Amino acid sequence: MKMTQTSDLNYPLNPIKATKPEKQVNIVLILVDSWRADTFNAENTPHMWRYAQQGIAFNNHLSSGNATRTGVFGMFYGIPGTYWHSVLANSQPPVLIERLQALDYELGIFAAAKLTKPEFDQTVFGSIDNLRLGSKGDTPSARDENLTNDWLAWEEKREQHKPAFSFLFYDAPHGYDFPENYSPRFEPMVDSMNYMDLDNDYDPTPLMNRYKTSVHYVDSQVKRVLERLEESGELENTVVIITGDHGQELNDNNLNFWGHNSNYTDAQVRVPFAMFGPGIDPENVQQHQFTSHHDVAPTLMQQYLGVTSNTADYSVGINLISSTVKRDWIVAAKYSGYGVITDDYIVEIGAGGMYQVLDKTNQPSDEKINFQYLQDAFKQLALYSE
């Protein structure tokens, strides 16, 4: 199955059907670049963790990709990242953003890194006027503080009678960065990150501690956001999603993989995912099943934005709140291929269609694969192509 890279796009499959919600809620989507699932806990992210206890944390959640482009794309569009090139060629906004605009939401888009690389300004946020394209500052952590300051100022002056959608995209862990005098620090720690130093014999612990400190710093910034919402009383009418765009490997499987966009192991695609706010009852949600970034759009569209269309019209995901989660596989994409991920193995498929079967540590596997999973995955990868 070759990747979909033409301009032929059929998304959504049918016009979106919707009714106006009885009560409009605010939505805050907090995204952390390169955030590993195993660093979302009371020690490393105390503030996000504490707030998340009000709702549900999905503990087997996979990003839609192992890189920023495919991770963010899957979350907003609800379809695999293999459609990126077609969406970009057609300048097609996600139906999620179009629906928010149809309901007259105020849209606050705050990213630390530039929204022009990859071209989110022409895809995900292409229909938003006067888009804030990035943040000021000489370091990722400085830009993270700048985006938080700008969001606080925007939140203060926005029209409070309107519903609001906020997107805050933090970047410090991607650069293993935090302010010079930041405390607390996880020790022992390397002084800086240098990919030239890394090989299979490199001890990852001091680098992991630097990474964990950068995650802790982002938590201190998110604390400011959540406390503002709590102090103003808005938190009671706000759905908050906290997650990462993809993971970050530190040679977890002793195969000399560092960073991301290279394989589909848990280190690179498994991310934290927590939701809390109106209508989210932890008792009624299955937190251990496979969930995906593809589920974000249908969950928001159906639960809060009045969309009544068949989910498959605009997403391969499901509504996490009202649906029974039962999956055997998930598709995740990178810049030049994709993987079909199961509990037991990974089928990695390149842009030309060649595939290999790997175990969950990225070693070649003799596991007998279920070809029905592959056929169903191929259908997803072709569903929105004309």
Side-chain angles (χ1 to χ4, degrees):
M1 174 74 191
K2 291 191 176 183
M3 292 178 65
T4 304
Q5 292 190 343
T6 71
S7 60
D8 300 323
L9 184 69
N10 187 20
Y11 165 91
L13 298 180
N14 296 293
I16 296 299
K17 299 175 184 175
T19 60
K20 187 166 183 178
E22 288 184 20
K23 184 180 181 183
Q24 291 185 306
V25 301
N26 299 321
I27 300 169
V28 175
L29 176 51
I30 295 169
L31 191 64
V32 182
D33 202 324
S34 308
W35 192 16
R36 294 171 57 103
D38 57 6
T39 60
F40 180 44
N41 52 55
E43 178 191 27
N44 207 159
T45 52
H47 305 295
M48 289 190 284
W49 182 260
R50 176 171 60 85
Y51 279 96
Q53 304 317 300
Q54 302 173 28
I56 184 72
F58 294 88
N59 54 26
N60 198 9
H61 186 90
L62 303 189
S63 173
S64 47
N66 59 14
T68 295
R69 183 172 76 184
T70 47
V72 174
F73 180 91
M75 192 160 40
F76 278 90
Y77 283 89
I79 64 177
T82 51
Y83 289 98
W84 166 269
H85 300 282
S86 296
V87 165
L88 178 60
N90 285 274
S91 299
Q92 172 66 51
V95 293
L96 173 59
I97 293 292
E98 290 184 319
R99 181 60 184 153
L100 290 166
Q101 291 175 316
L103 290 171
D104 202 25
Y105 269 71
E106 282 206 63
L107 303 179
I109 309 302
F110 299 88
K114 293 289 186 185
L115 291 176
T116 53
K117 289 183 66 179
E119 299 95 333
F120 295 133
D121 62 323
Q122 299 175 49
T123 52
V124 178
F125 307 118
S127 62
I128 299 175
D129 294 332
N130 303 313
L131 182 66
R132 181 186 184 277
L133 292 174
S135 296
K136 297 175 183 177
D138 295 330
T139 62
S141 59
R143 292 189 285 272
D144 282 354
E145 182 178 16
N146 176 250
L147 85 83
T148 307
N149 291 341
D150 280 4
W151 179 87
L152 290 168
W154 174 82
E155 170 67 16
E156 185 74 29
K157 68 184 181 184
R158 73 173 184 82
E159 296 182 60
Q160 297 294 327
H161 66 278
K162 285 187 177 182
F165 172 84
S166 303
F167 176 64
L168 296 91
F169 189 10
Y170 291 94
D171 193 44
H174 181 258
Y176 299 79
D177 187 52
F178 48 86
E180 187 175 347
N181 298 318
Y182 184 72
S183 178
R185 294 163 57 100
F186 291 85
E187 301 284 2
M189 183 195 296
V190 293
D191 292 333
S192 61
M193 168 60 176
N194 184 355
Y195 277 96
M196 298 299 291
D197 294 338
L198 306 179
D199 58 33
N200 221 30
D201 298 321
Y202 186 90
D203 178 9
T205 303
L207 182 58
M208 174 63 87
N209 284 334
R210 183 172 189 89
Y211 171 84
K212 288 168 64 176
T213 303
S214 70
V215 172
H216 195 284
Y217 168 72
V218 168
D219 184 70
S220 74
Q221 293 299 311
V222 176
K223 170 178 181 277
R224 301 170 62 203
V225 172
L226 298 178
E227 285 187 345
R228 167 63 68 85
L229 292 172
E230 190 169 36
E231 290 162 3
S232 68
E234 280 193 57
L235 195 59
E236 293 181 9
N237 190 46
T238 300
V239 174
V240 179
I241 295 176
I242 299 172
T243 188
D245 61 343
H246 54 76
Q248 186 77 347
E249 185 168 0
L250 282 82
N251 200 22
D252 290 62
N253 300 306
N254 299 308
L255 294 173
N256 205 27
F257 285 105
W258 303 85
H260 52 274
N261 196 36
S262 52
N263 64 55
Y264 302 101
T265 61
D266 281 356
Q268 295 197 31
V269 297
R270 189 160 165 252
V271 292
F273 190 88
M275 285 184 73
F276 56 93
I280 298 171
D281 182 357
E283 297 297 320
N284 294 330
V285 177
Q286 300 165 290
Q287 67 185 95
H288 305 296
Q289 296 292 331
F290 258 155
T291 56
S292 164
H293 273 5
H294 296 138
D295 302 329
V296 172
T299 300
L300 294 176
M301 296 271 276
Q302 293 177 11
Q303 288 297 122
Y304 303 105
L305 303 178
V307 172
T308 57
S309 294
N310 186 331
T311 306
D313 278 350
Y314 60 91
S315 176
V316 301
I318 61 172
N319 182 339
L320 292 173
I321 296 175
S322 69
S323 303
T324 299
V325 180
K326 175 125 179 72
R327 281 194 176 101
D328 296 308
W329 55 271
I330 280 176
V331 167
K334 61 179 181 179
Y335 286 171
S336 58
Y338 60 94
V340 179
I341 304 167
T342 76
D343 274 327
D344 302 314
Y345 59 86
I346 301 162
V347 182
E348 182 174 323
I349 302 164
M354 297 294 291
Y355 75 89
Q356 58 179 329
V357 183
L358 305 164
D359 67 17
K360 297 291 278 189
T361 68
N362 215 56
Q363 295 275 12
S365 172
D366 294 326
E367 182 85 27
K368 185 177 179 181
I369 66 175
N370 186 320
F371 282 96
Q372 186 61 51
Y373 296 171
L374 291 188
Q375 285 191 350
D376 292 342
F378 294 161
K379 288 177 183 176
Q380 284 191 3
L381 296 161
L383 185 59
Y384 304 98
S385 298
E386 291 187 329

